[in-house]
Amino acid sequence: QVQLVESGGGLVQAGGSLRLSCAASGRTFLGYAMGWFRQAPGKEHKFVAAISWSGNSTYYTDSVKGRFTISRDNAKNMVYLQMNSLKPEDTAVYYCAATMTVATMRAGMADYWGQGTQVTVSS
């Protein structure tokens, strides 16, 4: 089992920034691809970003490319999502996730999920 706990959400004006953090515990953190999903009210959860276990490869959905940056610190069992130039359409609950491959995550699936953290961007 891998336990994931997100933090860092909040209310921000359009154009602002937030950094989400995800603390992992339980089974070894290494070997897992990590990522972020989001779910807006009334909509399905969608893939946002993923990072390979080594941290050498990152992937983003088109709508956040150039604005969001995913990173990880394997020594601290942490994953981060730096979100810049936020837009009202970024408003959602953001979930940290873990699975064995980035391909699985990009397909919208994961083995472990956090409880989510709310991000609200006002116009």
Side-chain angles (χ1 to χ4, degrees):
Q1 284 282 54
V2 175
Q3 291 80 42
L4 304 172
V5 179
E6 303 96 333
S7 61
L11 173 64
V12 64
Q13 288 188 331
S17 298
L18 282 174
R19 188 175 86 150
L20 305 183
S21 299
C22 174
S25 61
R27 292 186 62 180
T28 179
F29 184 61
L30 289 178
Y32 280 92
M34 301 295 296
W36 294 88
F37 290 77
R38 65 187 180 186
Q39 186 169 22
K43 297 186 177 181
E44 295 181 350
H45 82 288
K46 293 186 177 181
F47 168 78
V48 176
I51 188 167
S52 61
W53 71 267
S54 67
N56 290 337
S57 299
T58 57
Y59 303 87
Y60 301 91
T61 191
D62 287 346
S63 62
V64 308
K65 284 180 181 177
R67 300 189 298 122
F68 291 12
T69 302
I70 188 170
S71 61
R72 66 190 294 164
D73 185 337
N74 288 342
K76 297 181 178 179
N77 286 2
M78 296 291 295
V79 179
Y80 306 98
L81 186 67
Q82 178 67 44
M83 305 185 295
N84 299 328
S85 302
L86 282 162
K87 304 175 181 180
E89 51 263 43
D90 295 318
T91 295
V93 177
Y94 283 70
Y95 297 90
C96 180
T99 190
M100 292 308 298
T101 70
V102 170
T104 300
M105 195 164 293
R106 294 177 72 188
M109 296 175 287
D111 296 310
Y112 303 101
W113 298 88
Q115 83 289 350
T117 185
Q118 177 71 47
V119 171
T120 302
V121 184
S122 64
S123 56

